[in-house]
Amino acid sequence: MALLSVSDLRKSYAGEHGSALPVVAVDSFELEVGEQVALQGPSGCGKTTFLHLIAGILAADSGRIQIGDTDVAGLKEAERDRFRAANIGYVFQSFHLMREYTCLENVELGMSFGAGVDRELARSLLKRVGLGDRLKYRASALSVGQQQRVAVARALANRPKLVLADEPTGSLDEDNASQALALIRELCRENGAALILASHDRTVIEAFERRVEFAELNSAGGGLAR
Ligand code: ADP
Ligand code: MG
């Protein structure tokens, strides 16, 4: 059963002299419930834009982004924000934590925009990512590897059906990168969430059974061809 079904999706940015620069043109992309896929491709080929469209962070110019019963591309901005908070977990390369908040507060803040604060779940997720003894530490007092593990716990906090991870290991050294990658994949599996992970790093990509060459899927090529 498809969890995500993208069709005829188009997104342009404003280019020079007011012209439109097509960046994403994806005719068809599907993801099954619980499925994990790696989007690979060089910097600039449109991976982040594609993930932002699916998450509803950016508005599409046209097309459909069906997630469950909802066409995200047809929603207004405030509706997309609500839908994302309730249904999508997002892991950023640069973590996007509140630096002065504790680990627990960061996860609970994510919950407060979605299903509501559940302290026991927040604790158990943080334990699961190996931070059970750091619950009250401020994010600013953690190593980068630990910060990304908080971000992984937060991404799962609203029990999303879909997790989007954009270069999640790009700021980490090799050991932390492989640990974070394994955690993201295991947590998605344990929670029945599907995963789209974008990366230009071949060692990350090769861990996945399903790999999509995004430059081929995206006929606009991120605008690079122009
Ligand atoms: P990737 O994540 O694969 O590196 P991006 O989606 O970030 O690719 O960018 C795709 C293309 O869109 C690039 O050519 C980039 O310069 C352009 N682009 C990204 N964001 C904007 C923006 N806000 N305004 C204009 N062009 C943008
Ligand atoms: Mg990117």
Side-chain angles (χ1 to χ4, degrees):
M1 194 179 70
L3 169 71
L4 167 69
S5 180
V6 171
S7 45
D8 302 319
L9 182 63
R10 298 290 180 271
K11 178 68 182 177
S12 297
Y13 289 119
E16 287 170 18
H17 315 298
S19 62
L21 176 72
V23 169
V24 167
V26 171
D27 289 339
S28 173
F29 174 78
E30 289 213 345
L31 190 70
E32 303 294 304
V33 171
E35 192 182 11
Q36 302 196 346
V37 64
L39 287 188
Q40 63 182 324
S43 184
C45 73
K47 303 181 299 298
T48 294
T49 303
F50 185 58
L51 294 184
H52 282 182
L53 290 166
I54 293 171
I57 296 169
L58 275 176
D61 296 338
S62 60
R64 289 179 69 78
I65 303 170
Q66 189 82 26
I67 300 176
D69 296 330
T70 304
D71 176 15
V72 177
L75 299 179
K76 296 187 181 10
E77 186 173 359
E79 296 168 330
R80 294 200 308 272
D81 289 345
R82 264 198 302 279
F83 184 83
R84 177 170 62 256
N87 297 285
I88 294 175
Y90 210 103
V91 183
F92 300 89
Q93 175 173 349
S94 50
F95 324 138
H96 287 203
L97 297 178
M98 301 292 282
R99 294 182 55 78
E100 294 313 312
Y101 282 37
T102 66
C103 294
L104 203 53
E105 287 167 348
N106 267 286
V107 174
E108 289 182 351
L109 182 65
M111 290 172 157
S112 71
F113 296 121
V117 174
D118 177 343
R119 178 151 296 178
E120 275 321 297
L121 177 61
R123 276 182 209 276
S124 75
L125 283 166
L126 284 164
K127 281 185 193 150
R128 179 64 188 82
V129 301
L131 294 171
D133 59 351
R134 294 287 190 281
L135 300 178
K136 300 270 167 73
Y137 276 55
R138 289 181 199 277
S140 58
L142 301 175
S143 71
V144 289
Q146 290 170 332
Q147 288 179 45
Q148 189 58 308
R149 284 187 271 143
V150 175
V152 170
R154 183 186 55 188
L156 274 301
N158 289 314
R159 304 184 182 283
K161 287 273 173 288
L162 177 61
V163 171
L164 306 174
D166 193 2
E167 309 272 4
T169 62
S171 301
L172 306 177
D173 64 36
E174 213 175 304
D175 283 350
N176 280 309
S178 61
Q179 203 183 22
L181 176 63
L183 266 176
I184 291 169
R185 302 193 67 196
E186 287 165 15
L187 274 161
C188 286
R189 233 175 263 130
E190 288 167 16
N191 290 276
L195 171 66
I196 306 177
L197 184 146
S199 180
H200 66 275
D201 181 343
R202 203 163 288 162
T203 55
V204 170
I205 296 296
E206 281 170 358
F208 286 75
E209 246 169 75
R210 183 178 173 201
R211 305 165 200 163
V212 169
E213 184 60 62
F214 192 65
E216 283 170 22
L217 180 71
N218 176 20
S219 55
L224 291 177
R226 275 141 224 277

